[in-house]
Amino acid sequence: MLDADDVRRAVPMPAAVYAVREAFLDLAAGHFVVPQRLSFAGATTLVMTACHTPSSTTVVKTLNLVPGRTPMILGTLVWNTAEGQVVADAVEVTTLRTGAVSGVATDLLAPPSASRLALLGTGAQAADQVRAVAAVRPVRRVAVFGRDPLRTSGFAERLRAEFPEVAVRVAASAADAVSDAEVVCCATSSSTPLFAVDDLPARVHVNAIGSYLPSMRELPAELLATAGCVVVDQVGAALEEAGEVIHAVATGVLDVGELIELGVGFGDAAGGSGADRVQVGWACCSGLGRGPAAR
């Protein structure tokens, strides 16, 4: 049994980024069976399963979401291997894994020198977004924006304590936060776009991890229409759950054939490590961690 602290001690963020990258490569190679996740009671209960066929290992994760409860999300992960069984706190695994997905996508798509990060959202997923980007890029400045000024201020103080070498500022608005960013991480439950495409610099990489329902949208449709590439965890899952993708496809600004799965993106289709060829990169993965994943 691994509680939240055990999970953190066992898997530092750089190790999580490496493991998730390998998982995406295995996913692209057809080594995973990942059924569409089950959703009950208006998406307040989620059940996710996966099987790694070469090793015959399986995992089942359940999450229960109750807005207003502290903590909002509770859950358990059960991992069965040839050596035995591991039971772990699913919330900690989820935030770690979701952050690591943004780390993988940033490493694939953002310029190697990217040092300016904008973070939109201050909830449970937010800190791991910073940790993951910092694991793959030389982050020197972070601009944070959240709806609650007091909570945002407290979150910024915690980031300063964890990353004393990084200049952390509280932005006046989402547009202010992203205005000079090289990497943007969106970690909210918003149902409307957080910023306009014109608020972004001409060249930027965007990770969007908040949308796990068709009604949720953190990004403007124009961003998907003008992006150098749009990368998702799994195309089928994105078309079922990622509000930004669903809306962009439904309104005709994005063709399904343009979507690139992250594991495939390590090749030339997403520019490989030549992220300077990407005018606007966008990453989307479910904030509630559906499989090995991301854009």
Side-chain angles (χ1 to χ4, degrees):
M1 287 285 295
L2 302 180
D3 63 17
D5 292 337
D6 294 330
V7 170
R8 291 292 171 174
R9 283 191 292 268
V11 191
M13 182 56 78
V17 171
Y18 176 83
V20 167
R21 180 185 186 278
E22 293 302 302
F24 274 115
L25 291 172
D26 260 9
L27 180 66
H31 295 160
F32 276 102
V33 177
V34 187
Q36 182 69 19
R37 70 177 170 194
L38 300 175
S39 175
F40 305 101
T44 60
T45 298
L46 304 173
V47 180
M48 288 147 275
T49 61
C51 176
H52 184 245
T53 52
S55 62
S56 296
T57 59
T58 59
V59 65
V60 177
K61 182 171 72 171
T62 60
L63 294 175
N64 178 254
L65 297 78
V66 179
R69 180 181 65 190
T70 303
M72 185 185 80
I73 305 175
L74 295 172
T76 302
L77 180 146
V78 180
W79 181 26
N80 294 299
T81 75
E83 290 75 30
Q85 184 181 79
V86 175
V87 180
D89 181 281
V91 177
E92 206 67 23
V93 172
T94 295
T95 57
L96 179 64
R97 172 259 177 208
T98 305
V101 170
S102 291
V104 172
T106 300
D107 200 26
L108 173 67
L109 294 167
S113 62
S115 63
R116 299 188 301 275
L117 170 65
L119 174 65
L120 307 183
T122 60
Q125 302 276 357
D128 276 323
Q129 295 296 302
V130 178
R131 293 174 185 131
V133 175
V136 300
R137 289 297 181 268
V139 175
R140 294 291 177 264
R141 292 163 52 188
V142 177
V144 182
F145 176 72
R147 292 177 300 177
D148 184 328
L150 186 61
R151 178 173 179 170
T152 304
S153 179
F155 178 78
E157 283 299 320
R158 293 192 293 276
L159 283 183
R160 293 184 187 108
E162 183 173 348
F163 300 96
E165 74 285 1
V166 175
V168 180
R169 73 176 180 93
V170 175
S173 64
D176 174 36
V178 305
S179 61
D180 68 344
E182 294 169 288
V183 178
V184 176
C185 289
C186 303
T188 76
S189 58
S190 181
S191 58
T192 57
L194 301 173
F195 49 81
V197 70
D198 289 341
D199 294 330
L200 293 167
R203 305 177 75 84
V204 64
H205 167 69
V206 182
N207 299 302
I209 62 96
S211 299
Y212 64 93
L213 292 174
S215 59
M216 292 180 171
R217 286 175 59 201
E218 295 183 293
L219 306 180
E222 294 82 2
L223 178 57
L224 278 70
T226 60
C229 63
V230 178
V231 186
V232 298
D233 53 355
Q234 294 171 279
V235 171
L239 294 175
E240 288 285 334
E241 300 176 346
E244 287 93 351
V245 175
I246 294 170
H247 180 267
V249 170
T251 56
V253 303
L254 179 68
D255 187 89
V256 172
E258 298 177 75
L259 296 174
I260 302 170
E261 293 194 342
L262 186 60
V264 177
F266 287 102
D268 292 335
S273 60
D276 57 334
R277 290 189 284 146
V278 179
Q279 179 182 7
V280 180
W282 174 64
C284 172
C285 66
S286 167
L288 296 174
R290 47 155 289 102
R295 162 207 142 150

